[in-house]
Amino acid sequence: MAPITTDPTLLIVTAALAYLLGSVPFGILITRFLGLGDLRQIGSGNIGATNVLRTGHKGAALSTLAFDAAKGAVAVLIAGWLLGEDAAQLAGLCAFLGHLFPVWLKFKGGKGVATFLGILLALSGQVGLAACATWLVTALITRMSSLAALMAAASTAMWMLLFAEGRFLLLALVMTILIYVRHAENLKRIKSGTEPKIGARKA
């Protein structure tokens, strides 16, 4: 983690604003706007891009992916620009927690993968791109978004060490653990061979 140099009051404000930004459920907002129904009643009920894709609307899924990634990246970039690296890391973590546990949805949110990747891209372009590439290669080979997410998250520590970005390692490990916790059911289905493939309409 970066040394804490920012005023504690400013860090508290940063954490709160980043959490609220992360809590915005873009998947639900986009599907409602397009008249696709309540995303929580579709497929797995998850609010992320993979479940939006189960509506059959690729544009909605891509938009959800972009906005969920952007909210993590924006939180990091603004906090870093205004206050410094300690605030940027805190903002990233809080935006991530906001997506996982959004106040607007009674703390029942998504799995955080797009937001996680957006945060990584904002913190370190090299690490973020490497994690995205890991996701893409795994997804192309297995056609399982969940496995691709787990592989991307698990590889992040390695990429950080490879690209000499160790100051972000603790943050990455915390987010990786949370991603694995949120994917507990997916892990069970992967082991049993019942995990749905990308584009499947049923969970």
Side-chain angles (χ1 to χ4, degrees), residues 93-165:
L93 175 61
C94 290
F96 182 72
L97 292 174
H99 183 80
L100 266 57
F101 311 107
V103 64
W104 321 115
L105 301 178
K106 299 180 180 179
F107 305 103
K108 297 178 181 179
K111 296 179 180 178
V113 179
T115 305
F116 172 74
L117 293 175
I119 291 166
L120 292 182
L121 286 166
L123 288 172
S124 169
Q126 291 178 312
V127 172
L129 289 173
C132 289
T134 303
W135 186 96
L136 181 60
V137 170
T138 306
L140 289 173
I141 293 172
T142 68
R143 293 190 59 237
M144 285 190 283
S145 178
S146 57
L147 183 56
L150 293 168
M151 290 297 293
S155 71
T156 299
M158 176 187 72
W159 297 126
M160 286 188 169
L161 293 175
L162 180 64
F163 293 118
E165 299 283 19

Side-chain angles (χ1 to χ4, degrees), residues 29 52 72 82 142 154 158 183 191 194:
L29 296 177
V52 174
L82 291 176
T142 68
M158 176 187 72
H183 281 80
K191 291 178 181 178
T194 59

Side-chain angles (χ1 to χ4, degrees), residues 20-40 47-48 52 60 63-64 67-68 71 104-105:
L20 291 174
L21 176 60
S23 291
V24 179
F26 284 110
I28 289 177
L29 296 177
I30 290 169
T31 50
R32 282 184 178 175
F33 178 76
L34 294 175
L36 300 174
D38 187 344
L39 188 58
R40 291 167 293 181
I47 66 171
V52 174
S63 297
T64 300
F67 278 107
D68 280 349
K71 65 187 182 183
W104 321 115
L105 301 178

Side-chain angles (χ1 to χ4, degrees), residues 1 4 24 38 47 51 60 83 85-86 88 110 129 134 141 143 148 168 186-187 196 202:
M1 291 289 288
I4 298 176
V24 179
D38 187 344
I47 66 171
N51 199 43
L83 299 174
E85 191 173 289
D86 56 342
L129 289 173
T134 303
I141 293 172
R143 293 190 59 237
F168 303 128
N186 300 89
L187 281 167
K202 294 183 179 180

